[in-house]
Amino acid sequence: MILKTKLFGHTYEFGSVREVMAKANEEKSGDKLAGIAAESAEERVAAKYVLSNLTLNDLRNNPAVPYEEDEVTRIIQDDVNESIFGEHKNKTVAEFREWLLDIETSGDMIKRASRGITSEIVSGVAKLMSNLDLVYGAKKIEITAHCNTTIGKEGTFSARLQPNNTTDDPKGILASTMEGFSLGCGDAVLGLNPVDDSVESVARILKQFYEFRNKWEIPTQICVLAHVTTQIEAAKKLDAPIELVFQSIAGSQKGNEAFGIDANMIEEARQYALKEGKADGPNVMYFETGQGSELSSEAHNDWDQLTMEARCYGFAKRYNPFLVNTVVGFIGPEYLYDSKQVIRAGLEDHFMGKLTGISMGCDACYTNHMKADQNDIENLATLLVAAGCNYIMGVPQGDDCMLMYQCTGYHEAAALREVFGLRPIEEFDRWLEKMGFSKDGKLTPLAGDASVFLRK
């Protein structure tokens, strides 16, 4: 298939939909590393023009990995509502973009359409959007999910409390946990990345979280971000309390195999959590992703990192997750070089997740060898809240001393709630007021005083 257009007095030819999609992507160092990026701004514009005139049917018929070779493709394709797809399949990508952004197109209309599109379509339309388009389009779409509480309701904005510790020291974890809750973080989840991901260590931390949460009657959910098999083994062998089940996922079967998972393993874990777990449900899964992960495991099939990321969301959707989180700048400058690329990727990922129909958050973050700083990440976090993002991270001082990267701290969520007139999840909001940490949606002088938890 030769796709071509004449622009700037030059004829540009593209040998496949895959090439068009890669070269229509906004500049990303990961695509350059893969050798698939546009060689100039002019070629990028030409690719966008060709992409804009492809139909949704063209994109559906050109999945990133063939149906016969990849279970992620099969899940995405098999989950398409054919009747709804039929309503849109002959639209060009440009026409679909216009429909999404039209003032007459409601969020409910978009959520219905999301049941009839594939991840390649989601990625394709994102490539034609400006940053403001991505904010405006995502803001229209309200996606809620329920574990013990309901995330994503209009007027709310949440944060994951992430009390990571360099040695998994119980006292250190508890100190960070108390401080985070006192500053209004943790309504999305209390979730720790363990240093020691042994079954015994994971069980110990889960039990510590469960006991603390129940003692203080905190309306939230708990999770330890170990491999999915470790979490389930901790529950089966050591009676660890399971609420949210975590797993990193990829946009291809080969990428998932690099994480040591497959579709059946995820479904078995979900069913275990639904039947034997402690959460109310029905949304009991927590997935994390990030542009470039498939390239890092040589599992991208020569497709661009944005499309592979979109496929993560198509895969996640099968399991009705409570949380999906793009850890946007965590992999490093090899995939997103600087703050401009990180901000763009965060807005793309959030938009694509919501267009896919999942509860989407973002770890607005960067590594220390990336050309970005804390102001850049706060800019991204602010744009994400404007776009209706369900949640961000809360780490002490925005400095994850265990994972060695920088993200948002305990204060950002509270500040952003006040700026945008938002509140935490309803039950958590009431708990904060009961504890004296907030009043009328604003933190009190007691906020940040972890000693409150030591007075009883």
Side-chain angles (χ1 to χ4, degrees):
M1 175 190 293
I2 299 296
L3 302 164
K4 61 183 179 179
T5 187
K6 187 172 183 178
L7 289 175
F8 315 114
H10 178 80
T11 299
Y12 292 89
E13 293 189 355
F14 306 96
S16 63
V17 171
R18 174 173 62 187
E19 185 180 357
V20 169
M21 290 281 274
K23 293 186 174 180
N25 201 19
E26 290 295 299
E27 185 175 352
K28 303 284 175 62
S29 54
D31 291 336
K32 287 187 176 181
L33 180 65
I36 60 175
E39 295 182 2
S40 66
E42 290 82 2
E43 186 179 29
R44 182 174 297 109
V45 171
K48 286 179 184 288
Y49 182 80
V50 172
L51 173 60
S52 71
N53 286 289
L54 295 178
T55 66
L56 304 197
N57 199 47
D58 291 329
L59 295 188
R60 186 181 182 188
N61 289 333
N62 286 274
V65 192
Y67 185 93
E68 298 77 15
E69 300 175 14
D70 188 271
E71 69 178 6
V72 174
T73 299
R74 292 192 288 274
I75 284 171
I76 292 167
Q77 294 280 353
D78 293 350
D79 282 352
V80 170
N81 181 301
E82 297 295 346
S83 176
I84 295 173
F85 176 68
E87 298 171 14
H88 297 279
K89 68 179 183 179
N90 292 322
K91 286 187 174 80
T92 65
V93 181
E95 289 169 341
F96 189 55
R97 171 190 174 276
E98 291 300 310
W99 181 81
L100 291 170
L101 297 176
D102 193 304
I103 195 170
E104 299 298 326
T105 303
S106 68
D108 286 340
M109 293 165 66
I110 295 173
K111 284 194 288 187
R112 181 177 181 276
S114 73
R115 295 162 49 209
I117 57 178
T118 65
S119 299
E120 286 76 11
I121 293 169
V122 170
S123 170
V125 74
K127 294 172 190 291
L128 299 185
M129 290 191 164
S130 70
N131 285 8
L132 182 56
D133 292 339
L134 295 169
V135 171
Y136 179 75
K139 179 64 175 178
K140 287 186 172 192
I141 311 167
E142 180 182 309
I143 305 292
T144 62
H146 185 86
C147 185
N148 291 325
T149 57
T150 301
I151 198 168
K153 286 186 177 179
E154 184 178 0
T156 67
F157 173 60
S158 301
R160 169 187 158 193
L161 173 48
Q162 185 172 314
N164 291 353
N165 185 275
T166 54
T167 61
D168 289 344
D169 175 63
K171 291 182 179 179
I173 292 171
L174 185 59
S176 292
T177 297
M178 291 188 292
E179 182 186 20
F181 276 130
S182 75
L183 286 165
C185 287
D187 54 335
V189 60
L190 169 59
L192 176 129
N193 300 89
V195 176
D196 177 1
D197 61 355
S198 67
V199 172
E200 293 75 17
S201 178
V202 169
R204 173 180 59 79
I205 298 168
L206 280 169
K207 289 176 181 179
Q208 180 183 14
F209 281 173
Y210 192 69
E211 179 182 347
F212 180 83
R213 194 274 311 277
N214 289 349
K215 176 181 178 181
W216 292 97
E217 299 178 332
I218 306 171
T220 190
Q221 27 284 316
I222 63 169
C223 183
V224 172
L225 283 69
H227 193 273
V228 61
T229 56
T230 305
Q231 296 166 75
I232 300 305
E233 190 175 354
K236 290 180 176 179
K237 290 187 176 180
L238 299 175
D239 199 30
I242 291 291
E243 292 189 343
L244 274 182
V245 177
F246 166 81
Q247 183 55 49
S248 294
I249 59 172
S252 67
Q253 181 177 329
K254 187 177 179 181
N256 280 332
E257 288 170 352
F259 285 130
I261 63 167
D262 60 29
N264 287 335
M265 184 184 295
I266 299 298
E267 180 60 22
E268 288 172 4
R270 188 176 81 94
Q271 290 301 325
Y272 181 88
L274 287 171
K275 295 172 183 176
E276 305 294 338
K278 304 293 186 181
D280 295 340
N283 308 112
V284 293
M285 302 303 293
Y286 174 13
F287 298 122
E288 287 194 342
T289 67
Q291 285 192 36
S293 62
E294 295 82 11
L295 176 59
S296 68
S297 59
E298 298 183 353
H300 66 301
N301 202 38
D302 290 330
W303 276 70
D304 64 279
Q305 62 188 44
L306 183 64
T307 302
M308 298 310 294
E309 180 71 9
R311 285 167 56 88
C312 293
Y313 307 146
F315 179 71
K317 185 178 181 179
R318 166 67 68 91
Y319 306 100
N320 301 310
F322 181 69
L323 306 174
V324 178
N325 176 43
T326 170
V327 194
V328 64
F330 181 72
I331 305 181
E334 299 85 357
Y335 304 95
L336 297 170
Y337 180 69
D338 57 15
S339 59
K340 181 178 181 179
Q341 294 187 16
V342 169
I343 289 171
R344 173 70 189 189
L347 296 178
E348 288 170 339
D349 294 353
H350 174 253
F351 168 80
M352 293 194 304
K354 292 188 83 174
L355 181 55
T356 301
I358 55 178
S359 170
M360 196 69 198
C362 180
D363 187 347
C365 64
Y366 64 101
T367 59
N368 287 309
H369 60 311
M370 182 181 287
K371 290 184 178 296
D373 61 26
Q374 204 66 25
N375 286 331
D376 298 318
I377 295 311
E378 290 180 7
N379 289 346
L380 173 55
T382 303
L383 288 167
L384 287 166
V385 180
C389 185
N390 280 5
Y391 69 102
I392 58 172
M393 301 298 108
V395 178
Q397 302 300 313
D399 180 11
D400 194 316
C401 59
M402 192 281 283
L403 291 175
M404 295 300 293
Y405 79 119
Q406 314 301 311
C407 65
T408 44
Y410 288 158
H411 298 79
E412 279 86 333
L416 288 165
R417 286 170 183 150
E418 191 168 337
V419 167
F420 286 92
L422 302 173
R423 304 287 281 261
I425 287 174
E426 183 178 358
E427 303 94 319
F428 191 83
D429 194 19
R430 291 197 299 266
W431 177 82
L432 287 172
E433 292 217 358
K434 182 183 75 172
M435 293 292 291
F437 296 135
S438 73
K439 182 175 176 59
D440 299 327
K442 297 182 180 180
L443 295 181
T444 68
L446 200 60
D449 185 357
S451 70
V452 171
F453 294 103
L454 304 176
R455 296 174 186 172
K456 293 184 181 180

